[in-house]
Short mmCIF file of all heavy atoms in Angstrom, two decimals:
data_model
loop_
_atom_site.label_atom_id
_atom_site.label_comp_id
_atom_site.label_asym_id
_atom_site.label_seq_id
_atom_site.Cartn_x
_atom_site.Cartn_y
_atom_site.Cartn_z
N ASP A 1 22.53 57.79 -59.20
CA ASP A 1 22.87 56.79 -60.21
C ASP A 1 23.92 57.33 -61.19
O ASP A 1 24.31 58.49 -61.14
CB ASP A 1 21.63 56.37 -60.97
CG ASP A 1 20.74 55.44 -60.18
OD1 ASP A 1 21.14 55.03 -59.08
OD2 ASP A 1 19.64 55.12 -60.67
N SER A 2 24.35 56.46 -62.08
CA SER A 2 25.33 56.80 -63.10
C SER A 2 24.77 56.58 -64.49
O SER A 2 23.86 55.78 -64.69
CB SER A 2 26.60 55.96 -62.93
OG SER A 2 27.23 56.20 -61.69
N LEU A 3 25.34 57.29 -65.44
CA LEU A 3 24.92 57.19 -66.82
C LEU A 3 26.11 57.54 -67.71
O LEU A 3 26.91 58.41 -67.36
CB LEU A 3 23.76 58.15 -67.09
CG LEU A 3 22.84 57.89 -68.28
CD1 LEU A 3 22.15 56.54 -68.14
CD2 LEU A 3 21.79 58.99 -68.37
N ARG A 4 26.21 56.87 -68.84
CA ARG A 4 27.29 57.15 -69.79
C ARG A 4 26.70 57.57 -71.12
O ARG A 4 25.98 56.81 -71.76
CB ARG A 4 28.18 55.92 -69.98
CG ARG A 4 29.45 56.21 -70.78
CD ARG A 4 30.19 54.93 -71.11
NE ARG A 4 31.54 55.18 -71.61
CZ ARG A 4 32.33 54.26 -72.15
NH1 ARG A 4 31.90 53.00 -72.24
NH2 ARG A 4 33.54 54.58 -72.56
N LEU A 5 27.05 58.77 -71.54
CA LEU A 5 26.62 59.29 -72.82
C LEU A 5 27.69 59.05 -73.87
O LEU A 5 28.88 59.07 -73.57
CB LEU A 5 26.32 60.78 -72.74
CG LEU A 5 25.33 61.23 -71.66
CD1 LEU A 5 25.11 62.74 -71.76
CD2 LEU A 5 24.02 60.48 -71.79
N SER A 6 27.26 58.84 -75.10
CA SER A 6 28.17 58.67 -76.22
C SER A 6 27.83 59.65 -77.32
O SER A 6 26.68 60.06 -77.46
CB SER A 6 28.10 57.24 -76.77
OG SER A 6 28.48 56.30 -75.80
N CYS A 7 28.82 60.01 -78.09
CA CYS A 7 28.63 60.88 -79.24
C CYS A 7 29.43 60.30 -80.40
O CYS A 7 30.66 60.36 -80.40
CB CYS A 7 29.09 62.30 -78.92
SG CYS A 7 29.04 63.44 -80.33
N ALA A 8 28.73 59.75 -81.36
CA ALA A 8 29.37 59.19 -82.54
C ALA A 8 29.51 60.27 -83.60
O ALA A 8 28.58 61.04 -83.84
CB ALA A 8 28.56 58.03 -83.08
N THR A 9 30.67 60.33 -84.23
CA THR A 9 30.93 61.36 -85.24
C THR A 9 31.21 60.73 -86.59
O THR A 9 31.66 59.60 -86.69
CB THR A 9 32.12 62.24 -84.84
OG1 THR A 9 33.33 61.46 -84.88
CG2 THR A 9 31.94 62.80 -83.45
N SER A 10 30.95 61.51 -87.63
CA SER A 10 31.23 61.09 -88.98
C SER A 10 31.51 62.32 -89.83
O SER A 10 31.23 63.44 -89.43
CB SER A 10 30.06 60.29 -89.56
OG SER A 10 28.89 61.09 -89.64
N GLY A 11 32.05 62.10 -91.00
CA GLY A 11 32.37 63.20 -91.89
C GLY A 11 33.86 63.51 -91.87
O GLY A 11 34.68 62.67 -92.22
N ARG A 12 34.20 64.71 -91.43
CA ARG A 12 35.59 65.13 -91.34
C ARG A 12 36.34 64.28 -90.31
O ARG A 12 35.72 63.72 -89.40
CB ARG A 12 35.67 66.61 -90.95
CG ARG A 12 35.05 67.56 -91.96
CD ARG A 12 35.91 67.70 -93.20
NE ARG A 12 37.21 68.27 -92.90
CZ ARG A 12 37.47 69.57 -92.78
NH1 ARG A 12 36.49 70.46 -92.95
NH2 ARG A 12 38.69 69.99 -92.50
N PRO A 13 37.66 64.21 -90.43
CA PRO A 13 38.44 63.46 -89.44
C PRO A 13 38.18 63.92 -88.02
O PRO A 13 38.16 65.12 -87.73
CB PRO A 13 39.88 63.73 -89.87
CG PRO A 13 39.79 63.97 -91.34
CD PRO A 13 38.51 64.71 -91.54
N PHE A 14 37.98 62.97 -87.14
CA PHE A 14 37.58 63.25 -85.77
C PHE A 14 38.74 63.58 -84.86
O PHE A 14 38.60 64.38 -83.93
CB PHE A 14 36.82 62.03 -85.23
CG PHE A 14 36.55 62.06 -83.76
CD1 PHE A 14 35.55 62.87 -83.26
CD2 PHE A 14 37.27 61.27 -82.89
CE1 PHE A 14 35.27 62.90 -81.90
CE2 PHE A 14 37.01 61.29 -81.53
CZ PHE A 14 36.00 62.10 -81.04
N SER A 15 39.88 62.98 -85.09
CA SER A 15 40.96 62.98 -84.10
C SER A 15 41.50 64.36 -83.75
O SER A 15 41.94 64.58 -82.63
CB SER A 15 42.11 62.08 -84.57
OG SER A 15 42.67 62.56 -85.78
N ARG A 16 41.45 65.30 -84.67
CA ARG A 16 42.05 66.61 -84.42
C ARG A 16 41.06 67.65 -83.92
O ARG A 16 41.44 68.81 -83.72
CB ARG A 16 42.75 67.12 -85.68
CG ARG A 16 43.87 66.19 -86.18
CD ARG A 16 44.72 66.87 -87.23
NE ARG A 16 45.53 67.94 -86.66
CZ ARG A 16 46.71 67.75 -86.09
NH1 ARG A 16 47.23 66.52 -86.00
NH2 ARG A 16 47.38 68.78 -85.60
N TYR A 17 39.82 67.27 -83.69
CA TYR A 17 38.83 68.20 -83.18
C TYR A 17 38.85 68.25 -81.66
O TYR A 17 38.95 67.22 -80.99
CB TYR A 17 37.43 67.78 -83.62
CG TYR A 17 37.08 68.17 -85.03
CD1 TYR A 17 37.42 67.36 -86.10
CD2 TYR A 17 36.39 69.35 -85.28
CE1 TYR A 17 37.09 67.71 -87.40
CE2 TYR A 17 36.05 69.71 -86.57
CZ TYR A 17 36.41 68.89 -87.62
OH TYR A 17 36.07 69.24 -88.91
N THR A 18 38.76 69.45 -81.13
CA THR A 18 38.42 69.60 -79.73
C THR A 18 36.93 69.31 -79.58
O THR A 18 36.12 69.79 -80.37
CB THR A 18 38.75 71.02 -79.24
OG1 THR A 18 40.16 71.18 -79.21
CG2 THR A 18 38.19 71.26 -77.84
N MET A 19 36.58 68.53 -78.58
CA MET A 19 35.20 68.11 -78.38
C MET A 19 34.70 68.61 -77.02
O MET A 19 35.48 68.86 -76.11
CB MET A 19 35.08 66.59 -78.44
CG MET A 19 35.57 65.97 -79.74
SD MET A 19 34.52 66.38 -81.16
CE MET A 19 33.00 65.55 -80.69
N ALA A 20 33.39 68.70 -76.91
CA ALA A 20 32.81 69.18 -75.67
C ALA A 20 31.40 68.65 -75.49
O ALA A 20 30.74 68.21 -76.44
CB ALA A 20 32.79 70.70 -75.63
N TRP A 21 30.95 68.70 -74.25
CA TRP A 21 29.57 68.45 -73.89
C TRP A 21 28.97 69.72 -73.32
O TRP A 21 29.58 70.38 -72.48
CB TRP A 21 29.45 67.32 -72.86
CG TRP A 21 29.76 65.96 -73.39
CD1 TRP A 21 30.93 65.28 -73.30
CD2 TRP A 21 28.84 65.09 -74.08
NE1 TRP A 21 30.82 64.05 -73.90
CE2 TRP A 21 29.54 63.91 -74.38
CE3 TRP A 21 27.50 65.21 -74.46
CZ2 TRP A 21 28.95 62.84 -75.06
CZ3 TRP A 21 26.92 64.15 -75.14
CH2 TRP A 21 27.64 62.98 -75.43
N PHE A 22 27.77 70.04 -73.79
CA PHE A 22 26.97 71.11 -73.24
C PHE A 22 25.62 70.53 -72.82
O PHE A 22 25.27 69.41 -73.21
CB PHE A 22 26.75 72.22 -74.27
CG PHE A 22 27.98 73.01 -74.61
CD1 PHE A 22 28.92 72.51 -75.49
CD2 PHE A 22 28.19 74.25 -74.05
CE1 PHE A 22 30.06 73.24 -75.81
CE2 PHE A 22 29.33 74.99 -74.36
CZ PHE A 22 30.26 74.48 -75.24
N ARG A 23 24.88 71.28 -72.04
CA ARG A 23 23.55 70.83 -71.66
C ARG A 23 22.61 72.02 -71.55
O ARG A 23 23.02 73.14 -71.32
CB ARG A 23 23.58 70.05 -70.34
CG ARG A 23 23.91 70.88 -69.12
CD ARG A 23 24.05 70.00 -67.90
NE ARG A 23 24.31 70.76 -66.69
CZ ARG A 23 24.58 70.22 -65.51
NH1 ARG A 23 24.63 68.89 -65.39
NH2 ARG A 23 24.80 70.99 -64.46
N GLN A 24 21.33 71.74 -71.70
CA GLN A 24 20.32 72.77 -71.62
C GLN A 24 19.11 72.23 -70.87
O GLN A 24 18.46 71.29 -71.32
CB GLN A 24 19.91 73.26 -73.00
CG GLN A 24 18.96 74.44 -72.98
CD GLN A 24 18.76 75.05 -74.35
OE1 GLN A 24 18.91 74.38 -75.36
NE2 GLN A 24 18.43 76.33 -74.38
N ALA A 25 18.83 72.85 -69.74
CA ALA A 25 17.66 72.49 -68.95
C ALA A 25 16.46 73.29 -69.44
O ALA A 25 16.62 74.36 -70.04
CB ALA A 25 17.93 72.78 -67.47
N PRO A 26 15.25 72.80 -69.18
CA PRO A 26 14.05 73.52 -69.62
C PRO A 26 14.02 74.95 -69.10
O PRO A 26 14.21 75.18 -67.91
CB PRO A 26 12.91 72.69 -69.04
CG PRO A 26 13.49 71.31 -68.92
CD PRO A 26 14.92 71.53 -68.53
N GLY A 27 13.78 75.90 -69.99
CA GLY A 27 13.68 77.29 -69.60
C GLY A 27 15.00 77.98 -69.33
O GLY A 27 15.00 79.14 -68.91
N LYS A 28 16.11 77.29 -69.55
CA LYS A 28 17.42 77.87 -69.29
C LYS A 28 18.28 77.86 -70.54
O LYS A 28 18.01 77.12 -71.50
CB LYS A 28 18.12 77.13 -68.16
CG LYS A 28 17.41 77.20 -66.82
CD LYS A 28 18.21 76.53 -65.74
CE LYS A 28 17.53 76.64 -64.39
NZ LYS A 28 18.33 76.00 -63.32
N GLU A 29 19.33 78.67 -70.52
CA GLU A 29 20.26 78.71 -71.63
C GLU A 29 21.18 77.49 -71.61
O GLU A 29 21.41 76.89 -70.56
CB GLU A 29 21.09 79.99 -71.59
CG GLU A 29 20.29 81.26 -71.78
CD GLU A 29 21.16 82.49 -71.82
OE1 GLU A 29 22.38 82.38 -71.58
OE2 GLU A 29 20.62 83.57 -72.10
N ARG A 30 21.70 77.16 -72.76
CA ARG A 30 22.65 76.06 -72.84
C ARG A 30 23.93 76.43 -72.10
O ARG A 30 24.42 77.55 -72.20
CB ARG A 30 22.94 75.75 -74.31
CG ARG A 30 23.79 74.52 -74.53
CD ARG A 30 23.52 73.88 -75.88
NE ARG A 30 23.63 74.82 -76.97
CZ ARG A 30 23.28 74.55 -78.22
NH1 ARG A 30 22.76 73.36 -78.52
NH2 ARG A 30 23.42 75.46 -79.17
N GLU A 31 24.49 75.47 -71.36
CA GLU A 31 25.67 75.73 -70.57
C GLU A 31 26.75 74.69 -70.83
O GLU A 31 26.47 73.53 -71.16
CB GLU A 31 25.33 75.76 -69.07
CG GLU A 31 24.85 74.44 -68.51
CD GLU A 31 24.60 74.49 -67.02
OE1 GLU A 31 24.87 75.53 -66.39
OE2 GLU A 31 24.13 73.47 -66.46
N PHE A 32 27.97 75.10 -70.63
CA PHE A 32 29.13 74.24 -70.82
C PHE A 32 29.21 73.20 -69.72
O PHE A 32 28.92 73.48 -68.55
CB PHE A 32 30.40 75.10 -70.83
CG PHE A 32 31.66 74.31 -70.71
CD1 PHE A 32 32.19 73.64 -71.80
CD2 PHE A 32 32.34 74.24 -69.50
CE1 PHE A 32 33.37 72.92 -71.69
CE2 PHE A 32 33.51 73.52 -69.38
CZ PHE A 32 34.02 72.86 -70.48
N VAL A 33 29.63 71.99 -70.09
CA VAL A 33 29.81 70.91 -69.12
C VAL A 33 31.27 70.46 -69.05
O VAL A 33 31.87 70.45 -67.98
CB VAL A 33 28.92 69.70 -69.45
CG1 VAL A 33 29.18 68.56 -68.47
CG2 VAL A 33 27.45 70.10 -69.44
N ALA A 34 31.85 70.08 -70.18
CA ALA A 34 33.22 69.57 -70.20
C ALA A 34 33.78 69.63 -71.61
O ALA A 34 33.03 69.59 -72.58
CB ALA A 34 33.27 68.14 -69.67
N THR A 35 35.10 69.69 -71.72
CA THR A 35 35.76 69.71 -73.02
C THR A 35 37.04 68.88 -72.98
O THR A 35 37.61 68.68 -71.91
CB THR A 35 36.06 71.15 -73.47
OG1 THR A 35 36.62 71.14 -74.79
CG2 THR A 35 37.06 71.82 -72.53
N ILE A 36 37.47 68.42 -74.14
CA ILE A 36 38.67 67.61 -74.25
C ILE A 36 39.34 67.88 -75.59
O ILE A 36 38.68 68.01 -76.61
CB ILE A 36 38.33 66.11 -74.09
CG1 ILE A 36 39.59 65.24 -74.09
CG2 ILE A 36 37.36 65.65 -75.17
CD1 ILE A 36 39.31 63.79 -73.68
N THR A 37 40.68 67.99 -75.58
CA THR A 37 41.41 68.23 -76.82
C THR A 37 41.50 66.97 -77.66
O THR A 37 41.17 65.87 -77.21
CB THR A 37 42.82 68.74 -76.52
OG1 THR A 37 43.53 67.76 -75.75
CG2 THR A 37 42.79 70.05 -75.74
N TRP A 38 41.98 67.14 -78.88
CA TRP A 38 42.06 66.01 -79.80
C TRP A 38 43.03 64.94 -79.30
O TRP A 38 42.86 63.76 -79.62
CB TRP A 38 42.45 66.48 -81.19
CG TRP A 38 43.87 66.98 -81.32
CD1 TRP A 38 44.32 68.23 -81.10
CD2 TRP A 38 45.01 66.20 -81.73
NE1 TRP A 38 45.68 68.31 -81.33
CE2 TRP A 38 46.11 67.07 -81.73
CE3 TRP A 38 45.20 64.88 -82.10
CZ2 TRP A 38 47.40 66.65 -82.08
CZ3 TRP A 38 46.47 64.45 -82.45
CH2 TRP A 38 47.55 65.33 -82.44
N THR A 39 44.05 65.34 -78.54
CA THR A 39 45.00 64.37 -78.00
C THR A 39 44.44 63.63 -76.79
O THR A 39 44.93 62.56 -76.45
CB THR A 39 46.29 65.06 -77.57
OG1 THR A 39 46.04 65.97 -76.50
CG2 THR A 39 46.90 65.81 -78.74
#
């Protein structure tokens, strides 16, 4: 199946931040998933 996650931000300006998704499975360390630049 498919799923779409969202991340809403507030506070400092969002546009110039590099953003990323990480994930953590039970009993495991958090791991990198994907990243995207501000552009």
